[in-house]
Amino acid sequence: MIEPAPAPDETARIATLRGLGILDTPPEERFDRITRLAQKIFDVPIAVVSLVDVNRQWFKSCQGLDASETPRSISFCGHAILGTKVFVIEDAAADARFADNPLVTGGPRIRFYAGAPLRTHGGHAAGALCIIAPTPRRFGPRDQELLAELANSAIAELENVHTAARERELRDFIETAGAIIQSVDESGRLLMINRAWKAALGYSSEEALRQNVLDLIDPAEHEHYHAVIAKLLASDPPVAMETTFIAKDCRKLRLSGVLNALRRADGSMETRGVFHDVTAQRELERIRSEVTHHVSHELKIPSAITSLALSMLADSGAEFDAEQRQLLETAQKAAEHSSRMAEDLLDASTSDSGQLRVEAVPRDVSKALAGIDAALTSLAAKAGLTLTVKLPTRKISAVFDGVRLHQILINLIGNAIKFTPPGGRITVGTKDGDKKFVEIFVQDTGLGMKKEDLDRIFDRLYQTVNKALQGAVGLGLGLHLCRELVTAHGGRIWVDSEPGKGTTFHFTLPLA
């Protein structure tokens, strides 16, 4: 006896078979109908839909045989799946491969066998449709063609079972998912909703499926919804959307998610949306922004008054000894720091509320950088640093807000001063970018940053930890605001740094 060899595509074949999800399932009439038909057409006592597993052949449908499976090592179907055509053994007792096979020498005493491979659309053989008889017989081309046609019917049923099972799994997944899921046709009529959708909006399935999606979206956001649908129609990738739905009890829900377009063969389109309820999150953000704005506004005035009073005292001509002068300078720095934090808080709250204004017009980059030089050289000198501004050799006209550029550079140069030990250098200059942008850089010879800092340096409220730095390090808003402001200009910002070797911040502005 010769045992069947593993198929050349054995690993993929077994994966395909297991993926059908049909092994060890109960008998089904759709398969029994095929084996009964094969039994009658070919006048044989046994007809089987056999699926060849790793170590066994398992029978999904079996006529004329009591067994539900047999070892693969003695199976005829194990040989049948190795080819692409019908595998025929006209007399097993006279075939060296099967003469001493237990299925030949013992029950069911196979003499004739014909098996048509059940190959899926992926080309892998899951098993075979076979017919068996206890007496030798001829099996010509026409018979083989007919058995192959029956095998095609069995393959179709196998894949239908798989498709139906996958559809049930998908429906169950959608129904039990925590996300709010809906499907809408081209006219806006709801086609499908899940349990989370009904729980969030309060409609039953019957009520919801009579609704148009525009009846559920806040009228103030209809234009935005139409714009998102237009964008979806113009491209295949998912489109992000956040909008306000109105529940059955008139509550307003802020839902955020993505829309996908499903284009059908008949030319129609279905829009599927997966959302999460962010109502509480957006309300918390609104309250936080309002509180931040209020607190920072209230802090700004007393900080400014304190700073002004200390400056007037320092310039009054009064005589102070060394210790008093040191205390006065410390108080001035603390007042300036408080005022700066108040400004950062105020800008951050403005950014969060979407009210961060940038009045960008064509301006001369050289003039803007020259103004920065005059403003910060003395501050750097007080810290024992050299600040150099390398003005471009040619006129560069870029589109930017002069006040906001000043704010960006103040933050970046202020950081450089803070993190650079006395004797260090800070350099500000420009580089030619591509034809659309000018690049501005702020380079220092300071402490540098670790990689974990580089990955998060522009995050809101993120602060680097450096034991070499003494004094307050701010709120972690300055660089976050720099990114917001650069982005608002249509540019980008990034950083290069290495511990002990300094840091360079780069950002771009669009050319006029």
Side-chain angles (χ1 to χ4, degrees):
M1 185 190 80
I2 299 176
E3 293 187 7
D9 60 345
E10 184 69 7
T11 301
R13 191 192 69 78
I14 292 297
T16 298
L17 172 62
R18 299 284 175 84
L20 292 172
I22 200 169
L23 289 173
D24 300 310
T25 57
E28 295 181 61
E29 176 60 23
R30 67 175 86 185
F31 295 102
D32 292 342
R33 188 181 303 115
I34 293 171
T35 51
R36 284 198 303 267
L37 187 58
Q39 196 179 33
K40 291 175 181 178
I41 289 173
F42 297 106
D43 191 21
V44 291
I46 300 172
V48 179
V49 172
S50 171
L51 302 177
V52 182
D53 201 358
V54 177
N55 296 311
R56 61 172 179 159
Q57 60 172 354
W58 176 81
F59 307 142
K60 176 59 181 175
S61 176
C62 186
Q63 305 296 331
L65 196 64
D66 291 334
S68 62
E69 63 180 60
T70 61
R72 180 177 178 177
S73 60
I74 62 172
S75 71
F76 282 63
C77 292
H79 292 272
I81 65 171
L82 299 178
T84 58
K85 298 180 180 180
V86 175
F87 181 71
V88 179
I89 302 297
E90 294 185 342
D91 185 355
D95 191 311
R97 293 171 294 178
F98 301 101
D100 58 348
N101 187 301
L103 298 176
V104 176
T105 59
R109 294 194 175 279
I110 298 173
R111 292 296 181 270
F112 166 75
Y113 170 93
L118 299 175
R119 290 193 174 274
T120 64
H121 281 95
H124 306 295
L129 170 64
C130 64
I131 53 175
I132 299 169
T135 56
R137 63 182 288 179
R138 299 279 297 172
F139 202 70
R142 183 170 177 76
D143 292 327
Q144 294 179 33
E145 184 180 343
L146 188 52
L147 183 62
E149 285 298 325
L150 287 175
N152 287 337
S153 298
I155 292 167
E157 294 298 346
L158 283 173
E159 295 191 326
N160 285 341
V161 169
H162 174 61
T163 301
R166 295 294 295 166
E167 287 178 349
R168 285 195 300 272
E169 290 176 4
L170 181 59
R171 283 196 299 270
D172 290 343
F173 174 78
I174 290 172
E175 182 63 18
T176 58
I180 296 168
I181 301 174
Q182 67 179 34
S183 178
V184 178
D185 70 11
E186 289 177 290
S187 67
R189 184 172 59 90
L190 285 163
L191 300 175
M192 180 275 295
I193 56 173
N194 70 338
R195 187 182 303 166
W197 192 101
K198 290 181 281 188
L201 293 166
Y203 290 97
S204 67
S205 295
E206 294 75 17
E207 291 171 328
L209 298 181
R210 292 196 297 266
Q211 300 275 355
N212 188 291
V213 70
L214 287 175
D215 296 332
L216 302 171
I217 293 177
D218 189 334
E221 301 202 30
H222 282 188
E223 185 176 345
H224 171 63
Y225 176 77
H226 287 306
V228 171
I229 295 298
K231 185 177 180 181
L232 188 62
L233 287 170
S235 61
D236 286 331
V239 176
M241 185 181 83
E242 184 171 315
T243 191
T244 301
F245 277 68
I246 301 175
K248 185 178 179 180
D249 61 4
C250 297
R251 287 178 299 113
K252 289 190 174 184
L253 301 178
R254 192 69 179 171
L255 302 185
S256 178
V258 294
L259 295 182
N260 261 305
L262 176 64
R263 292 173 173 82
R264 302 195 178 279
D266 62 3
S268 63
M269 189 188 79
E270 180 182 325
T271 303
R272 293 177 177 176
V274 180
F275 300 100
H276 293 279
D277 186 351
V278 293
T279 309
Q281 179 185 342
R282 294 294 178 263
E283 179 61 15
L284 181 61
E285 290 172 356
R286 184 190 66 79
I287 293 171
R288 183 180 64 187
S289 181
E290 287 184 359
V291 169
T292 301
H293 187 88
H294 177 73
V295 170
S296 59
H297 191 271
E298 293 300 312
L299 284 174
K300 184 178 178 181
I301 296 174
S303 295
I305 293 173
T306 302
S307 183
L308 178 63
L310 290 169
S311 295
M312 292 174 66
L313 180 60
D315 297 337
S316 65
E319 295 184 3
F320 298 103
D321 60 31
E323 183 178 356
Q324 290 171 330
R325 177 63 64 180
Q326 181 64 44
L327 288 172
L328 180 58
E329 289 178 358
T330 300
Q332 282 182 295
K333 288 181 181 179
E336 289 171 3
H337 186 67
S338 297
S339 180
R340 179 64 176 278
M341 287 195 296
E343 289 283 356
D344 283 351
L345 278 170
L346 197 58
D347 280 337
S349 66
T350 302
S351 174
D352 290 344
S353 64
Q355 298 175 355
L356 188 63
R357 295 178 59 190
V358 172
E359 297 179 359
V361 296
R363 301 175 191 271
D364 187 342
V365 173
S366 296
K367 289 183 178 179
L369 294 183
I372 289 294
D373 185 16
L376 288 172
T377 299
S378 59
L379 184 61
K382 285 184 179 179
L385 305 172
T386 301
L387 172 62
T388 303
V389 177
K390 295 182 177 180
L391 299 178
T393 55
R394 58 184 178 84
K395 181 178 180 180
I396 300 177
S397 181
V399 181
F400 61 93
D401 183 323
V403 174
R404 293 304 191 181
L405 176 59
H406 185 271
Q407 186 177 358
I408 294 168
L409 288 168
I410 287 287
N411 266 300
L412 297 181
I413 296 171
N415 259 24
I417 291 173
K418 188 189 307 179
F419 286 91
T420 303
R425 300 184 309 279
I426 300 170
T427 305
V428 181
T430 63
K431 292 182 181 179
D432 289 332
D434 57 27
K435 295 180 180 179
K436 296 182 179 179
F437 295 91
V438 60
E439 178 186 323
I440 300 174
F441 67 88
V442 176
Q443 184 179 53
D444 66 55
T445 59
L447 303 174
M449 288 182 279
K450 298 177 182 177
K451 185 180 185 305
E452 54 264 36
D453 289 326
L454 295 180
D455 293 339
R456 299 188 56 196
I457 195 65
F458 296 107
D459 290 355
R460 179 188 175 91
L461 301 179
Y462 183 73
Q463 298 172 321
T464 59
V465 177
N466 196 312
K467 294 179 180 179
L469 183 68
Q470 297 181 354
V473 294
L475 295 174
L477 289 172
L479 292 177
H480 170 75
L481 286 169
C482 284
R483 182 177 65 182
E484 296 293 301
L485 289 169
V486 170
T487 302
H489 279 86
R492 69 184 185 95
I493 186 169
W494 68 100
V495 60
D496 299 317
S497 187
E498 189 176 339
K501 294 187 177 181
T503 299
T504 303
F505 282 92
H506 314 256
F507 65 94
T508 61
L509 296 173
L511 292 171

